[in-house]
Amino acid sequence: MAEQRNDRDLLEIKNLKKYFTTNRGVLHAVDDVSFTLRQGRTLGVVGESGCGKSTLGKTILGLLDATDGSVIFDGEDVTHLKGRAWKEKRKSMQMIFQDPMASLDPRYTVMTLIAEPLKIFGVCRSKIELEEKVRELMQTVGLDEHLANRFPHELDGGRRQRIGIARALALDPRFIVCDEPVSALDVSIQAQVLNLLQDLQVEKNLTYIFVTHNMSVVKHISDNILVMYLGCMAEMCQSKELFRKPLHPYTKGLLSAIPIPDITVKRERIIMTGELSSPINPKPGCRFASRCPYTKDICTKETPAWKEELPDHFVACHCCREINQLDK
Amino acid sequence: MSLLEINNLEVQYVMTDETIHAVNNISFSLEKGECLGLVGETGAGKTTTALSILRLLASPPAKTVNGEILYKGQDILKLREKEMREIRGDEITMIFQDPMTSLNPVKRVGDQIAEVIMQHRHCSKTEAFRLACDMLNQVGIRDERATEFPHQFSGGMKQRVVIAMALACQPNLLLADEPTTALDVTIQAQVVEMMIALRKQYQMSMIFITHDLGLVADICDKVAIMYAGEIVEYGNLEDIYLRTSHPYTVGLFGSIPSLSKDVDRLSPIQGLPPNPAKLPTGCKFHTRCERASEKCSCDEPLFHEIEPGHFVRCHLFDQEEHDDG
Amino acid sequence: MMETTALDRKKRLNTTSGQFRIALRQFRRNKIAVVGIIIFLIIVLSCVFADKISAYDYAAQDIRNKFAPLSMEHPFGTDQFGRDVFTRMLYGGRISLVVAFSAVLLSAAVAVLLGTTAAFFGKAYEMIVMRIIDILQSIPGLLLAAAVSTAIGTGIQNSIIAIAIGQLANTTRLMYSATLTVKNQEYLEAARACGASKTRIIFHHVIKNILAPLIVQVTSRLGSGITQIASLSFLGLGVMPPTPEWGSILNAGKQYMRSYWPLVTFPGLVIALTLISVSFIGDGIRDAVDPRLKR
């Protein structure tokens, strides 16, 4: 997956925070996230509900205003862009949404849906040119030409998602946030769409942030994986490494909880007890402490630091070295 | 005598402009204490099958065109509504995908469970409530929480309450329709562990509907793979996982990115699931099958037993039957 | 396409062409609605072709022929000035219908603008607009229209404005809540991700998706629009004589109710018939557009 590409950092996220004020307190949706992403690579962001992965994606794109921290895209600080400057950046940064039904205006035809970003930026000079470009995009994503005048509800989930992909590609972006793009699809269609996304990445040298809760999917499509828990970074490393040698207790629990369609594999199940703690007005210390089987005193008092425990393998855990016997 | 026996069940939805063939001639049986996994994608007919067992289909537009559902030897489809009500909740119960809509938001959790108990057991309100608290303990919820309302529980906890309700009268058969799909992976693992333990304790039979082959490997004894309203492959875990036979099942396994193996590209099943109002002739999978032959587009394949207990509905296995016979 | 679930069916009903086709079919099946359309069309076309149908001049007075008995020449009789009531009804209908239509459309246009922007832009603007609407809504439509009419004067144009204002609050509130429903849909966020400005989102996405309740509202408001212009004229506001208008004819007729019943009865009947037919049509549209899932 990591062949010759333009090896430079396309995206740099520094201490990004996104808080929401609710009537019950401040919701720390994304709390101090930092990473860099090379051009042409895919970063998978995984976690369960409430971990902030979708919010992270939207904040990076600027669909939500960051509370703190910065987003550096291709050397430029795009964190607090507004108005025209923000709009201009849409040409480079796009998004594919999770629910292919909800993210497509039900009153628009396939043609109009894909044409919309082109119209907004006045990319094409004539209607004919516009339709040509849309047909080209449809072909790229594997949609039959004759579907151009259909409505989303007339098509199945897989095709609808392809419309979403075509729309995201319309402006020829360099970076796409894929927010659970295959979660709402049937298994056999998921595979088709995943293959498509991979092919497009190679063809157009795209950089992806792939947000999902499905570990098998993320392993397949990502170069690096970031595991999030209640808004905080728990672990980050290369894709294969994460599955081979998970260091954070949460990652271990997560991996062991995944049902595997293979009856020959016998695994040790680490069943995590308890419920997720609330991301509203979180207490100090590690957010995972209430469910962690290895909790020590320090875990409830101090927030663990983000450390490179192994080469290119980062973890935020006080007891990491002990649990994994890294010092032996 | 099997606990549940379904023979040649055919269910259609009759609409004004078209007829949807949801379930097309399926047959299987379930013994006491056994768990059958009903696997398939959207539109395969799994939910319709389960709802038929409990006669919960809205009819019209649903119509049971043919077949019989024998529970303890008695044809459920011929029972009167009154008799059916006695079975529901007591002998056969069902849990659904979304715990949020399965619970009454304005009734206390303990009362909801007690309600089921009082319906089927003749006991006082206090007694029923006490039994309800016991049930909550069984599913891992402290019984002090019996006086709380559903919204005070998280998703996983709500599903446990739903399970408590379903098991309150110690049913013989539990129908679970994608009960963990809406839950987070780690919570799913907890709930699945609990269901396995309870099943063992009560010696309960279960039909577990899902599209997740991983879950099936954890919970089920037997598996029925459904496609376009038919069972295309049926067998125990080893038959399905180690000796996968039907091209659709093979395709399903090929579409799933695997945690244990590294694959460059997935091998999806080409094409789309068929429109249940306009099903293809012959074998219903032939339009998407890589190994389809001319025979597949005209003749419907029979359900062949390729090894003891392992059935496949595919022309590729016609020869073998012939050879054996 | 699989439609095994009610949800799929509901989604199929959610587009312009699909919805129109289904709505039309459903409408045609509704016999009462069809009757309503027929009656309404007869009335409207009669008014449109008034000059072809009746040879009389609606203002032509013929005092000697006042209160004539019903006959073929005067199917509705004549009024106190000898003018043919039937002709006056035909021409009067033009006024009534035009004023009612215009008022409803004007009201709808302003309501859509106010309602969608209030729901969309929120904050202080939303609060100000909705509180004003609250105040307007507390006054019954007709009274409000009458008050405005008194303030700005009578005549066709002013009556249209007055009635429009009278209906504004209700429709605005409807558009406001419809927009709120649509506002949180993901496709709006997707449009924003493509670079669409808020204005573009409102005009291209929101409005299309709130058309359904708007259409239903407009048809039902039409009925009350006709009543209101008739009422205003009846009260002495609205249009002034000699311009014929159903309400003013009715008003004039009430003095002679005992001695000459046609002058009150026929205008009353026509108004009633128009309202009933509009009501049937409105019901038909509502039933057709409503994503009912039972067959």
Side-chain angles (χ1 to χ4, degrees), chain C residues 108-171:
Chain C
V110 176
V112 165
L113 212 62
L114 285 180
T116 54
T117 50
F120 224 73
F121 291 108
K123 302 200 189 74
Y125 174 72
E126 175 185 1
M127 205 177 62
I128 295 174
V129 169
M130 293 321 286
R131 294 300 79 79
I132 295 179
I133 296 295
D134 280 342
I135 295 172
L136 283 180
Q137 199 164 22
S138 60
I139 308 171
L142 183 58
L143 279 182
L144 191 52
V148 173
S149 214
T150 323
I152 63 175
T154 56
I156 295 182
Q157 260 185 326
N158 291 337
S159 303
I160 293 177
I161 296 174
I163 295 176
I165 293 179
Q167 299 194 343
L168 188 62
N170 216 310
T171 317

Side-chain angles (χ1 to χ4, degrees), chain B residues 15-16 18 20 42-43 274-276, chain C residues 1-4 9 12 25 29 295:
Chain B
M15 310 293 202
T16 37
E18 57 188 5
I20 294 173
T42 325
N275 180 351
Chain C
M1 183 192 52
M2 288 173 286
E3 282 195 312
T4 47
R9 195 156 285 275
R12 187 214 244 194
R25 193 171 34 154
R29 279 199 205 135
R295 295 295 175 109

Side-chain angles (χ1 to χ4, degrees), chain B residues 110-307:
Chain B
D111 288 332
Q112 293 192 48
I113 303 176
E115 188 183 347
V116 177
I117 299 175
M118 280 195 292
Q119 185 99 359
H120 296 285
R121 307 259 178 278
H122 299 288
C123 57
S124 64
K125 220 169 166 182
T126 0
E127 179 67 16
F129 197 81
R130 193 182 62 80
L131 288 169
C133 292
D134 279 343
M135 211 53 232
L136 282 176
N137 282 328
Q138 292 273 330
V139 297
I141 299 179
R142 299 187 326 266
D143 51 21
E144 295 100 65
R145 299 196 75 179
T147 46
E148 289 181 21
F149 290 93
H151 69 265
Q152 296 172 269
F153 292 80
S154 66
M157 290 298 219
K158 276 198 270 255
Q159 197 62 308
R160 288 176 196 247
V161 170
V162 168
I163 292 172
M165 262 171 76
L167 299 180
C169 295
Q170 276 140 42
N172 294 318
L173 172 62
L174 173 67
L175 306 172
D177 192 353
E178 309 227 33
T180 56
T181 308
L183 304 176
D184 277 326
V185 159
T186 48
I187 309 292
Q188 174 177 275
Q190 289 176 355
V191 172
V192 163
E193 284 278 307
M194 184 194 72
M195 283 177 80
I196 294 176
L198 286 172
R199 212 194 103 213
K200 215 168 159 186
Q201 183 185 339
Y202 291 114
Q203 273 298 296
M204 188 176 63
S205 308
M206 194 153 74
I207 295 185
F208 196 89
I209 297 176
T210 180
H211 59 269
D212 186 339
L213 284 165
L215 274 180
V216 169
D218 284 339
I219 302 178
C220 306
D221 305 309
K222 296 235 170 65
V223 187
I225 309 278
M226 285 188 77
Y227 185 82
E230 288 177 336
I231 297 181
V232 296
E233 190 164 357
Y234 177 91
N236 61 29
L237 285 184
E238 280 168 9
D239 296 332
I240 303 288
Y241 284 79
L242 299 178
R243 295 183 284 275
T244 325
S245 305
H246 194 283
Y248 176 61
T249 324
V250 173
L252 272 185
F253 277 104
S255 310
I256 312 171
S258 160
L259 278 186
S260 37
K261 295 179 290 227
D262 280 337
V263 183
D264 255 346
R265 263 175 88 79
L266 298 166
S267 340
I269 307 173
Q270 69 195 72
L272 295 166
N275 180 351
K278 292 197 198 78
L279 289 171
T281 52
C283 171
K284 299 190 175 47
F285 185 62
H286 86 261
T287 51
R288 304 173 74 188
C289 186
E290 285 176 345
R291 304 170 68 183
S293 63
E294 229 184 87
K295 192 176 182 192
C296 303
S297 50
C298 0
D299 293 338
E300 280 190 33
L302 296 171
F303 213 34
H304 299 301
E305 187 164 8
I306 58 174
E307 46 176 346

Side-chain angles (χ1 to χ4, degrees), chain A residues 43-250:
Chain A
L43 174 71
V45 180
V46 291
E48 297 175 297
S49 33
C51 73
K53 48 192 200 297
S54 284
T55 312
L56 176 65
K58 292 187 185 166
T59 311
I60 292 176
L61 283 181
L63 288 171
L64 292 171
D65 276 321
T67 311
D68 200 4
S70 49
V71 178
I72 318 266
F73 182 75
D74 206 8
E76 194 191 327
D77 188 335
V78 299
T79 330
H80 297 291
L81 285 183
K82 297 252 184 295
R84 193 162 287 167
W86 184 84
K87 184 180 162 182
E88 269 305 300
K89 273 278 163 265
R90 296 314 98 208
K91 288 192 193 162
S92 323
M93 308 166 85
Q94 275 294 325
M95 183 154 180
I96 298 173
F97 292 82
Q98 174 178 352
D99 188 346
M101 197 59 229
S103 61
L104 302 174
D105 188 331
R107 284 163 202 273
Y108 274 31
T109 56
V110 172
M111 166 72 67
T112 343
L113 282 165
I114 302 177
E116 183 164 23
L118 299 168
K119 279 203 209 134
I120 294 174
F121 285 91
V123 170
C124 301
R125 276 160 300 181
S126 67
K127 192 165 176 224
I128 301 175
E129 204 184 316
L130 187 71
E131 286 186 14
E132 222 354 88
K133 182 101 173 95
V134 171
R135 281 187 218 283
E136 206 182 293
L137 284 163
M138 284 174 72
Q139 203 179 33
T140 313
V141 302
L143 278 170
D144 271 331
E145 259 192 42
H146 74 269
L147 295 172
N149 289 317
R150 295 276 182 87
F151 290 94
H153 70 268
E154 293 178 52
L155 306 171
D156 66 284
R159 290 215 179 98
R160 285 184 221 143
Q161 197 57 297
R162 286 172 201 263
I163 299 173
I165 296 173
R167 179 174 59 186
L169 290 175
L171 297 172
D172 219 6
R174 294 160 64 196
F175 168 63
I176 301 184
V177 171
C178 308
D179 192 356
E180 307 243 31
V182 296
S183 305
L185 305 175
D186 270 330
V187 164
S188 57
I189 313 286
Q190 270 190 25
Q192 292 175 4
V193 175
L194 282 175
N195 281 351
L196 172 65
L197 288 172
Q198 281 187 296
D199 293 339
L200 288 170
Q201 180 172 45
V202 172
E203 210 181 292
K204 297 178 186 279
N205 201 12
L206 291 170
T207 310
Y208 288 148
I209 286 187
F210 199 94
V211 176
T212 182
H213 63 270
N214 187 327
M215 297 301 281
S216 2
V217 165
V218 86
K219 179 187 182 219
H220 180 78
I221 200 164
S222 317
D223 296 302
N224 288 14
I225 298 182
L226 167 65
V227 180
M228 287 184 71
Y229 187 79
L230 280 185
C232 299
M233 296 197 291
E235 187 165 358
M236 182 162 81
C237 61
Q238 272 195 17
S239 187
K240 293 200 182 77
E241 168 94 352
L242 189 80
F243 289 84
R244 210 173 38 217
K245 204 176 170 60
L247 297 179
H248 195 286
Y250 174 61

